[in-house]
Amino acid sequence: MKQLKIIKIGGGIIDDAVSLAHFLQLFARVEGPRILVHGGGKGASEMLRALGLAPKLVNGRRITDAPTLDVVTMFYAGKTNKAIVAGLQQNHVNALGLSGADGNVIRAVKRPVREIDYGFVGDVKPAGVNAKLLGALLELGLTPVICAITHDGQGQLLNTNADTVAATVAVAMSQQFAVELHYCFEKNGVLLDVNDDNSVIDNINLASYAELKEAGIIADGMIPKLDNSFDALGQGVHKVIIGHALKINDSLKTVLCLN
Amino acid sequence: MKQLKIIKIGGGIIDDAVSLAHFLQLFARVEGPRILVHGGGKGASEMLRALGLAPKLVNGRRITDAPTLDVVTMFYAGKTNKAIVAGLQQNHVNALGLSGADGNVIRAVKRPVREIDYGFVGDVKPAGVNAKLLGALLELGLTPVICAITHDGQGQLLNTNADTVAATVAVAMSQQFAVELHYCFEKNGVLLDVNDDNSVIDNINLASYAELKEAGIIADGMIPKLDNSFDALGQGVHKVIIGHALKINDSLKTVLCLN
């Protein structure tokens, strides 16, 4: 089976033009077919404030009302996506930017209203990913650059969690490829000691993950990230790799596998 | 030779959500391979003002400085392009939004500074169009939706005239297809009497165009539009059609041919 790398970057790297340019140079050296998935950054929040649209939070979760959706669409699909695509072209990578609406690449469902009405937020499943088209675009030598704006097929765009988009695309592409899903952030990997960036755990499998949680070594914000990663592995993703965005070609990283 | 329709819409139709939705329904009924090219609308100017960025004009021409480029990129490649793509998906058209950077579809040259420094404005030539990739995307059953943001291949995005983008793409695609270039606006076509919207001139060729200019029937803003159209015809475009955006499937229109 052919390899495919799906690499997800977040706000930390996107907010800093110098870091982003460095990352794009490193990304250009990643071999073989690859897809880049990006989140937003602080820019969208700053623009919302500049336009007098205060970020709306309920229980700490952002609510995407219509004016907020407009701004995040402009920011993620317009500014950030096109900056990344132009930067990759400069590095001789034939990048093609996509929202979920483009080529019907990711069809989502507006999150049902229960205790909280999240507004125009989309939930995604692997069946909603147009894996056939993504495969055809890769076959043309293109590198898809996906932002976390999806659509419902009825003309409505939806704001979607970028980690989830990356994992869902990874699961969907696992029918055609041996997929490595890379989550890039500002640490070198999953750490034994959160205060020591050199204490990277090289490998975690389901059994050792249970032990690390039991021992309180993996806690807080890391748990949902790793739960989602093992969930993706359970659905056919070959490997999940967690590491620093500016060290994607280094061996320093945490590799997650089921066994 | 296979037919290809390249349809350009401008501000008038984009600024009004009801008209745009109507246009997209009509566009969905256009048969055969097609490409949609769109300009901006008033929205970008409104957002520039809301952000305290006054539109900068020199001799009536807009200057695209760096903050202005950011906003027009967000607006054209983000908001407008994704609204059109999601609306076409709703109408069962597998639309794929593109800036010129995406897939290196349109590489431009930053306009050289002479009397006026236009800022980040791109000039395009047919040789800068990736006609091979556009052909491959059409072959996959996709409908490219192109906004008028291009790139220079060195990481710089550039604001570009949408009429020129449409004509340049039309010329470049004429090597593979018999191209019909449709310019949609708010009139029924080229009019014998500007005050009578029913006085559409059915056909204009190079000879009759010279006569109509001589007689003062075609004047002012229409002249550069028609000059550019005949220029495209001279470079291999099969037909140029000028008509109303909400009547694209009707026979009421002006057809331009060389002979």
Side-chain angles (χ1 to χ4, degrees):
Chain A
M1 223 175 189
K2 241 179 156 174
Q3 279 216 338
L4 170 66
K5 292 179 181 124
I6 298 181
I7 299 178
K8 191 261 164 181
I9 54 169
I13 201 83
I14 290 167
D15 287 327
D16 179 52
V18 175
S19 296
L20 181 60
H22 185 189
F23 169 79
L24 296 179
Q25 284 174 354
L26 297 173
F27 181 87
R29 286 186 222 147
V30 172
E31 282 177 16
R34 64 227 141 145
I35 293 175
L36 182 60
V37 177
H38 65 87
K42 287 183 212 142
S45 304
E46 282 165 16
M47 172 157 271
L48 284 166
R49 276 193 295 272
L51 293 168
L53 299 164
K56 286 178 195 63
L57 300 170
V58 173
N59 299 346
R61 306 292 296 264
R62 173 177 287 194
I63 306 300
T64 306
D65 60 8
T68 301
L69 179 70
D70 260 11
V71 171
V72 297
T73 300
M74 282 191 273
F75 226 90
Y76 303 166
K79 187 170 194 303
T80 307
N81 192 266
K82 297 317 161 204
I84 291 172
V85 167
L88 285 175
Q89 292 288 348
Q90 180 183 18
N91 284 288
H92 310 292
V93 174
N94 202 2
L96 181 90
L98 297 166
S99 74
D102 297 296
N104 191 26
V105 153
I106 310 169
R107 192 180 287 231
V109 172
K110 185 172 179 291
R111 187 170 299 167
V113 178
R114 296 209 179 89
E115 295 96 66
I116 299 176
D117 180 357
Y118 287 96
F120 297 106
V121 165
D123 290 323
V124 289
K125 286 190 179 152
V129 176
N130 191 346
K132 194 180 158 199
L133 179 60
L134 286 172
L137 297 176
L138 290 166
E139 199 62 44
L140 289 173
L142 296 165
T143 296
V145 176
I146 302 178
C147 70
I149 300 292
T150 60
H151 79 136
D152 70 353
Q154 305 303 311
Q156 181 62 57
L157 296 165
L158 296 165
N159 192 11
T160 306
N161 178 280
D163 279 3
T164 312
V165 165
T168 307
V169 170
V171 169
M173 296 305 285
S174 292
Q175 304 227 337
Q176 295 172 59
F177 292 91
V179 174
E180 270 186 30
L181 170 60
H182 291 241
Y183 280 117
C184 297
F185 67 150
E186 289 87 53
K187 301 273 183 189
N188 288 329
V190 182
L191 304 176
L192 262 176
D193 172 358
V194 286
N195 299 312
D196 178 4
D197 209 29
N198 292 316
S199 66
V200 173
I201 308 170
D202 294 333
N203 295 283
I204 305 179
N205 63 23
L206 257 185
S208 65
Y209 178 43
E211 289 167 18
L212 287 162
K213 275 199 288 192
E214 181 82 13
I217 290 168
I218 293 175
D220 306 324
M222 213 58 202
I223 290 181
K225 216 176 188 79
L226 292 195
D227 281 348
N228 289 337
S229 298
F230 279 104
D231 192 43
L233 291 168
Q235 292 179 74
V237 172
H238 192 59
K239 271 185 203 173
V240 177
I241 292 169
I242 297 185
H244 199 292
L246 298 181
K247 294 175 188 170
I248 45 169
N249 297 311
D250 296 4
S251 58
L252 189 67
K253 53 187 61 156
T254 299
V255 179
L256 309 181
C257 290
L258 283 183
N259 303 304
Chain B
M1 223 176 189
K2 239 178 156 174
Q3 277 217 340
L4 171 66
K5 291 178 182 126
I6 298 181
I7 299 178
K8 191 261 164 180
I9 54 170
I13 201 82
I14 289 167
D15 286 327
D16 179 52
V18 174
S19 296
L20 181 60
H22 185 189
F23 169 77
L24 296 179
Q25 284 174 355
L26 297 172
F27 181 86
R29 287 187 222 147
V30 172
E31 283 177 17
R34 64 229 142 142
I35 294 174
L36 183 60
V37 176
H38 65 87
K42 286 184 212 143
S45 304
E46 282 164 16
M47 171 158 273
L48 284 167
R49 275 193 295 272
L51 292 170
L53 299 164
K56 285 177 195 66
L57 301 170
V58 173
N59 298 346
R61 305 293 294 266
R62 174 178 288 194
I63 307 301
T64 306
D65 60 8
T68 301
L69 179 70
D70 260 11
V71 171
V72 298
T73 301
M74 282 191 273
F75 225 90
Y76 303 166
K79 186 171 195 304
T80 307
N81 191 267
K82 297 318 161 204
I84 291 173
V85 168
L88 286 175
Q89 292 288 348
Q90 178 184 19
N91 284 287
H92 310 293
V93 174
N94 202 3
L96 181 90
L98 296 167
S99 74
D102 297 295
N104 191 26
V105 154
I106 309 168
R107 192 180 287 231
V109 171
K110 184 171 180 289
R111 187 170 299 167
V113 178
R114 294 208 179 90
E115 295 94 66
I116 299 176
D117 180 357
Y118 288 97
F120 296 106
V121 166
D123 290 322
V124 289
K125 286 192 179 151
V129 176
N130 190 345
K132 194 180 157 199
L133 179 60
L134 286 172
L137 297 176
L138 290 165
E139 200 63 45
L140 289 173
L142 296 165
T143 295
V145 177
I146 303 178
C147 71
I149 300 291
T150 59
H151 79 137
D152 71 352
Q154 305 302 311
Q156 181 62 58
L157 295 165
L158 295 165
N159 192 11
T160 306
N161 179 281
D163 279 3
T164 312
V165 165
T168 308
V169 170
V171 169
M173 296 306 285
S174 292
Q175 304 226 339
Q176 295 173 58
F177 293 90
V179 174
E180 269 185 32
L181 171 60
H182 291 239
Y183 279 117
C184 296
F185 66 148
E186 289 86 55
K187 301 273 183 187
N188 288 329
V190 181
L191 303 176
L192 262 175
D193 172 358
V194 285
N195 298 311
D196 178 4
D197 209 28
N198 293 316
S199 67
V200 173
I201 308 170
D202 295 332
N203 295 282
I204 305 179
N205 63 23
L206 256 185
S208 66
Y209 178 44
E211 289 167 19
L212 288 161
K213 276 199 289 191
E214 182 81 15
I217 290 167
I218 294 175
D220 305 325
M222 213 59 202
I223 290 180
K225 214 175 188 77
L226 292 194
D227 281 349
N228 289 337
S229 298
F230 279 105
D231 193 42
L233 291 168
Q235 291 179 76
V237 172
H238 193 60
K239 270 185 201 172
V240 177
I241 292 169
I242 297 185
H244 198 292
L246 298 181
K247 295 173 188 170
I248 45 169
N249 297 310
D250 298 2
S251 59
L252 188 68
K253 54 188 61 158
T254 300
V255 179
L256 310 181
C257 290
L258 282 183
N259 303 304

